[in-house]
Amino acid sequence: MVGEDKAELRGLLEILPPVEFCCIYGSKLHPNNKDETSMTDYIIGVADPRQWHSENLNLNKDHYASWLVHLGGARMINDIANDIGVGVHFNPFVSCNKKMVKYGVVRMHDFIQDILRWDRFYLSGRLQKPVNILVDKLDIKNVNTVNLKAATSAALLLLPSKFTEEDLYAKICSLSYMGDLRMLFAEDKNKVKKIVRGQFYLFEEMYKPFLEEYEANNLLRFSSAGDKQVNIFQDCGLSAASTLVSSLPSSIRSDMAMKLGDKRIVDDSGRVRQQVVIGSKEQAAECMKRVVRRRVMFSSTRQAAAGLLTAGAVHGVRYVANKMCKAWKSRV
């Protein structure tokens, strides 16, 4: 991370109760980010959010909206996160070591389920992009390989027979923004392009094992196109598309099966598995897109409502204003 080492980034953890997982995500990982006013974004994973917030209120009550501190406390913070949001409570505009940070707190069980199943497709989408892991007591980096392979498969379903490596990473990056209402008015329209181009080599490092696996299985073929660019060719046949669909998370496959139908098959290990019945790659791609878009729209809307409620009036307006300012600048 440009200009900041891990010791400096861990400064937030020194003032918080113990955590089981912590990573940094977002624009601060961009090597060309010179904006000193932007917040550093953290994901914090804990075993029991209600207990953790109770301890954190004793240590850092100024991190929370004043009305939550005086009227609700840890129980209300946790209830709003789960009943209105998607299980994550964010504290934005926290001052730490003369810098502004935002941290989101999530129950580890819910976090892992979202990574493996895309139940809410919220934090799992953030982990499909480069992150800087600071604490990882449960080996989430390894668990996340399931998420990365699923993202690769989803992106390949949406891409044509020929595309570039940058196209692939852009499609992966865009998955978690499909259906996100903020992209209409409160996000930089060039966000995906900036993320991929600014962190291209990090994407390459993350997704190389899955591209090599699919190449070995004859689903992909690579050729150099000059200027260090690589063209990728994929098999768009029905069998290849079925293989990609089988790598999608179970909750996505279940929703697709409700629309397209399914059948039971016995895999190589003798287990009975659900297989979505598809007529073509295009049909599978369109169905999956609708399923993912609806999930993202639902989760992003709920989390936005919870965020505005728990951030407090001043911080809520400030956060939305900052987002809309970036969106406006990207459109002029």
Side-chain angles (χ1 to χ4, degrees):
M1 205 162 167
V2 178
E4 297 180 79
D5 58 24
K6 276 203 172 184
E8 186 177 353
L9 296 170
R10 290 176 64 91
L12 175 65
L13 297 175
E14 293 174 2
I15 64 173
L16 298 178
V19 306
E20 295 190 2
F21 176 84
C22 177
C23 75
I24 293 169
Y25 69 96
S27 61
K28 277 293 187 178
L29 290 173
H30 194 304
N32 297 319
N33 185 0
K34 302 296 193 296
D35 185 2
E36 293 297 324
T37 64
S38 62
M39 288 187 288
T40 301
D41 298 308
Y42 292 77
I43 296 172
I44 303 286
V46 301
D48 184 343
R50 183 173 170 181
Q51 177 62 33
W52 190 91
H53 285 301
S54 180
E55 294 175 21
N56 199 35
L57 282 166
N58 290 329
L59 295 171
N60 304 293
K61 68 178 181 181
D62 57 313
H63 291 186
Y64 298 83
S66 59
W67 77 270
L68 279 175
V69 175
H70 296 109
L71 297 179
R75 178 177 180 177
M76 182 171 287
I77 291 166
N78 196 52
D79 287 348
I80 292 174
N82 291 319
D83 299 339
I84 298 177
V86 289
V88 190
H89 171 83
F90 282 100
N91 282 333
F93 299 106
V94 172
S95 179
C96 180
N97 294 332
K98 298 180 180 179
K99 297 181 183 297
M100 281 293 180
V101 307
K102 177 183 76 175
Y103 62 91
V105 181
V106 63
R107 184 188 304 275
M108 285 302 300
H109 175 268
D110 298 340
F111 186 36
I112 292 171
Q113 287 301 301
D114 197 38
I115 290 171
L116 295 177
R117 292 175 43 83
W118 295 7
D119 284 336
R120 291 161 171 166
F121 202 38
Y122 190 72
L123 293 181
S124 52
R126 280 146 178 79
L127 264 67
Q128 290 168 359
K129 308 169 189 70
V131 297
N132 187 348
I133 296 177
L134 302 178
V135 178
D136 192 8
K137 295 180 180 179
L138 298 183
D139 199 14
I140 295 301
K141 183 177 181 179
N142 183 53
V143 174
N144 195 47
T145 59
V146 176
N147 183 29
L148 299 183
K149 183 175 181 179
T152 305
S153 298
L156 289 173
L157 278 172
L158 297 172
L159 286 165
S161 59
K162 177 185 176 182
F163 50 92
T164 66
E165 199 173 357
E166 184 176 314
D167 292 336
L168 173 63
Y169 301 145
K171 189 62 70 176
I172 289 171
C173 187
S174 69
L175 291 173
S176 60
Y177 297 128
M178 292 195 304
D180 190 335
L181 298 179
R182 296 173 304 168
M183 295 301 290
L184 299 177
F185 65 92
E187 289 288 2
D188 184 343
K189 70 173 184 177
N190 300 312
K191 184 169 186 172
V192 168
K193 185 186 298 183
K194 288 179 179 179
I195 291 172
V196 172
R197 291 185 176 175
Q199 304 175 50
F200 184 86
Y201 295 108
L202 295 176
F203 274 98
E204 200 171 35
E205 183 181 330
M206 288 173 67
Y207 287 97
K208 183 179 180 180
F210 312 106
L211 298 183
E212 290 178 341
E213 177 186 338
Y214 283 161
E215 182 184 26
N217 292 332
N218 297 316
L219 295 177
L220 298 179
R221 180 168 56 86
F222 298 84
S223 70
S224 176
D227 297 327
K228 297 183 179 180
Q229 185 61 272
V230 174
N231 282 329
I232 304 176
F233 301 85
Q234 70 166 320
D235 181 350
C236 291
L238 192 59
S239 176
S242 294
T243 298
L244 296 177
V245 170
S246 70
S247 294
L248 297 176
S250 58
S251 70
I252 300 296
R253 294 200 312 271
S254 293
D255 282 2
M256 291 178 66
M258 289 178 64
K259 300 176 184 298
L260 301 177
D262 67 343
K263 61 183 179 180
R264 298 288 185 264
I265 62 168
V266 180
D267 64 18
D268 294 337
S269 63
R271 292 180 302 178
V272 177
R273 291 191 56 180
Q274 173 196 52
Q275 184 179 65
V276 180
V277 177
I278 61 173
S280 67
K281 176 176 180 288
E282 292 73 22
Q283 182 194 51
E286 185 58 34
C287 182
M288 183 207 67
K289 186 193 297 184
R290 289 198 302 267
V291 169
V292 171
R293 181 185 290 129
R294 180 171 182 175
R295 196 158 298 190
V296 172
M297 183 180 296
F298 185 68
S299 292
S300 62
T301 302
R302 283 183 59 178
Q303 191 58 43
L308 286 174
L309 185 61
T310 57
V314 175
H315 282 168
V317 171
R318 183 180 174 187
Y319 183 72
V320 172
N322 283 355
K323 284 286 189 180
M324 293 189 71
C325 182
K326 286 184 180 179
W328 175 255
K329 287 179 179 178
S330 73
R331 286 166 167 80
V332 295

